[in-house]
Amino acid sequence: MDTVIASRRCPPTLHLPLPPDAQAARHARRSVERILASEPALCPRAVAEDLVLIVSELVTNAVLHADGPFALTLSLEAGRAGIAVSDGSPGLSGRRSRVGARRIGSGGRGLNIVRALGADLFVSRWDCGKQVVAVVTWQDG
């Protein structure tokens, strides 16, 4: 899972395949932190911290509640970021098709956290999966 495509074009874009396990969120956070650190003029630090948290929540939801493969795409421009997490489950029920998978704990707050951080959420489905997209905007400079 070391393949990362990070474009230096406008807007900077990161596409990251993710491992299908508990390491996915950490891997995603670190990669997003690196791209945000490399573009400090595009994103204030407080917003960058929120974006990392949003990425963490969306990736964690995907790995806990969907089947793989998983991937993260981040597109960044001044005043706006788009975060898309794709998975291999077209359904929106939050139930994995894997035998023996079950939800642990009460959970269910991840998307509320994402919305509380100001993200607009969208879901795009296709035959072999879906993308959950968060768009965050802020006042530039």
Side-chain angles (χ1 to χ4, degrees):
M1 290 294 147
D2 293 340
T3 304
V4 177
I5 301 168
S7 168
R8 295 299 273 170
R9 290 185 225 133
C10 186
T13 302
L14 167 75
H15 180 74
L16 179 67
L18 295 169
D21 58 29
Q23 300 302 312
R26 188 185 81 187
H27 188 58
R29 282 191 305 271
R30 287 184 177 168
S31 296
V32 168
E33 286 168 346
R34 280 193 295 270
I35 198 167
L36 293 172
S38 73
E39 299 289 347
L42 292 180
C43 184
R45 182 180 176 131
V47 174
E49 291 171 357
D50 289 350
L51 294 177
V52 171
L53 180 54
I54 290 168
V55 164
S56 185
E57 291 295 334
L58 294 180
V59 169
T60 298
N61 280 353
V63 172
L64 286 177
H65 304 296
D67 292 320
F70 304 102
L72 165 69
T73 302
L74 169 76
S75 182
L76 181 66
E77 59 187 82
R80 180 172 49 197
I83 300 162
V85 176
S86 60
D87 63 57
S89 298
L92 301 176
S93 69
R95 297 187 187 274
R96 296 174 88 163
S97 62
R98 294 182 190 145
V99 175
R102 62 186 175 96
R103 187 177 184 146
I104 299 172
S106 59
R109 296 187 254 326
L111 295 181
N112 290 334
I113 292 169
V114 170
R115 286 186 192 100
L117 292 171
D120 293 317
L121 287 170
F122 307 91
V123 178
S124 176
R125 296 189 319 179
W126 59 90
D127 290 343
C128 55
K130 69 179 166 300
Q131 265 191 342
V132 177
V133 178
V135 177
V136 179
T137 58
W138 61 91
Q139 293 295 321
D140 188 32

